C-alpha cells in the first residue's frame, strides 16, 4: 500500500483496466548510472521532496553531465509540485536548468512512453496512479504525471 491506500486498494489500482503496467526494477547506484548513460532520453519528475531536500543544484549537475553525453533530458512538472503552484519552475530556474527542457504535465504525459529512463525525485502524490483509478483514494481525481 501507500499513504491513504490499503493493500487491497493498491492491488486493485495496479491491475485497473485500461492501464498498462510497467516493471519497476531496483538497481544499485552503479547500475543506475549505467542506465542513465545508456539512455537516449531521460525524464525527471521533481516533487515536494526535492524542494525540502534542496537538491536542485546537484540534480542540475547530473542533468548537465547527461546532456554533455548527448542524452536528451526533460523535466515533467506537475502544476502543484513543490510548496505552491509554480514553485518547482522557480527552483529549477535557480539551479540554471534550461527552460526549454522543462515540460508541463499536460504537454509531456502523452510522450512518456518515448523515454528510456524515468526518475522520480521526491514526488509521491503527483505520480500516484490511484489518482486516476482508485475511487477510494483520498487523492482520486487529481491529475497526475503518468510515469
Amino acid at each position: 500500500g501507500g499513504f491513504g491506500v490499503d493493500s487491497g486498494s493498491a492491488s486493485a489500482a495496479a491491475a485497473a483496466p485500461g492501464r498498462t503496467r510497467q516493471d519497476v526494477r531496483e538497481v544499485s547506484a552503479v547500475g543506475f548510472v549505467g542506465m542513465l548513460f545508456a539512455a537516449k532520453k531521460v525524464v525527471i519528475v521533481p516533487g515536494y521532496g526535492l524542494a525540502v531536500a534542496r537538491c536542485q543544484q546537484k540534480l542540475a549537475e547530473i542533468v548537465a553531465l547527461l546532456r554533455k553525453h548527448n542524452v536528451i533530458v526533460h523535466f515533467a512538472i506537475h502544476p502543484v509540485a513543490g510548496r505552491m503552484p509554480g514553485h518547482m519552475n522557480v527552483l529549477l530556474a535557480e539551479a540554471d536548468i534550461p527552460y526549454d527542457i522543462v515540460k508541463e504535465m499536460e504537454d509531456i504525459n502523452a510522450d512518456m512512453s518515448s523515454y528510456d529512463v524515468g526518475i522520480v525525485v521526491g514526488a509521491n502524490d503527483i505520480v500516484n496512479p490511484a489518482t486516476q483509478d482508485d475511487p477510494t483514494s483520498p487523492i482520486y481525481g487529481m491529475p497526475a504525471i503518468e510515469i
Side-chain angles (χ1 to χ4, degrees), residues 28-89:
S28 67
V30 172
F32 182 62
V33 170
M35 288 173 64
L36 289 176
F37 283 109
K40 289 182 175 52
K41 286 180 75 176
V42 172
V43 63
I44 301 170
V45 182
Y48 179 72
L50 175 129
V52 172
R54 299 180 186 158
C55 65
Q56 63 269 26
Q57 295 294 340
K58 288 296 178 187
L59 190 56
E61 291 173 20
I62 294 168
V63 169
L65 187 60
L66 290 171
R67 293 182 74 193
K68 182 178 175 182
H69 285 86
N70 298 315
V71 177
I72 297 168
V73 181
H74 290 132
F75 282 82
I77 305 298
H78 191 281
V80 296
R83 296 175 187 214
M84 65 189 87
H87 184 222
M88 196 55 57
N89 299 71

Side-chain angles (χ1 to χ4, degrees), residues 104-147:
E104 299 299 325
M105 176 184 70
E106 60 273 2
D107 297 328
I108 200 167
N109 264 348
D111 297 329
M112 280 298 173
S113 63
S114 72
Y115 292 91
D116 304 307
V117 176
I119 307 169
V120 178
V121 183
N124 183 8
D125 56 346
I126 63 171
V127 295
N128 193 330
T131 63
Q132 298 175 13
D133 52 28
D134 184 0
T136 65
S137 172
I139 58 174
Y140 178 72
M142 180 184 92
I145 294 177
E146 299 171 6
I147 191 165

